[in-house]
Amino acid sequence: MSGRPSILPTEDAFEDFKKQCLATENWLNKYDNNGMQVWIEVPENRGNSSPKVHKIKCKMTIKDVSAATMYDVIHDGQYRKNWDPNMLESFDIARLSDNADVGYYSWLCPKPIKNRDVVTLRSWRVMDDEYIIINFSVKHPKHPPQRHLVRAVSLLTGYFIKPTGPNSCTFIYLSQADPKGSLPKWVVNKASQVLAPRVMKCVHKAGQNYSAWKQQNSPDLKPWLYPEQSSLPMMDPADLSIQRADSLQNVDESSKKDALESEDSS
């Protein structure tokens, strides 16, 4: 038994994530349209240090789907195949506790950029009708980086969902992720601000259609609410370690970078 602290998020981690989701100070609004807002965190003055990848926050006012349903949508990996147009592959690897697991996700990137993948520890909490899901990248001994994909890093990504009525909610997505490769940070930051509203619209539509789909697809199976339903193998969280961005190799995408920049300026 090692003496190092558990990798699993503490109550403080959930509270800190919630605080970031609700904060307005040091956040700059980049998009505000039809009940959706996108913000980026204003970076602290770091002198000549290299610019970090922005932390981005998207807030959506949903007037026709409950918070509980949106929470189910984010958790339901089977349903994700129906609504996520960028997904290549996604699967849960193992359970870490009643409210934490480790999983794999890979996604399509616009050509000629290489596709990405990520291995993340995900944990969730429901308290006082507030739903929180957070994840961050980990190293899994049986799922190392693959040659045909670039291993990205989620520094912190998650969702905060709060009811505003029986069939309405506020839905907040917050993420700081490094796609690695050799794309310039400004391209990454700009792309995330453009893509975020599109993804949020997909998630909202998925929420609208979820109840009908779930009725036809194991309606009572929700292991994120009922952990005893999970068929995943248990894994000791001590076998995982946090994936640092700087420990991954940067893949040369210089020709692809030029294509992106010229596309961006057109």
Side-chain angles (χ1 to χ4, degrees), residues 3 23-24 30 47 60-61 79 83 85 94-95 108 113 116 119 124 128 135 151 163 193 201 209 216 237 258-259:
T24 53
K30 288 290 194 177
M60 183 162 50
T61 301
Y79 184 53
W83 66 263
R95 279 175 71 197
L108 289 162
I113 304 298
R116 260 63 179 171
V119 173
W124 53 93
D128 301 327
N135 79 53
R151 177 63 49 93
Q193 292 166 37
K201 285 171 186 169
N209 298 329
Q216 307 298 319
D258 295 340

Side-chain angles (χ1 to χ4, degrees), residues 201-217:
K201 285 171 186 169
C202 284
V203 175
H204 182 194
K205 189 172 181 183
Q208 292 169 327
N209 298 329
Y210 181 70
S211 295
W213 178 88
K214 191 61 176 168
Q215 280 300 316
Q216 307 298 319
N217 294 271

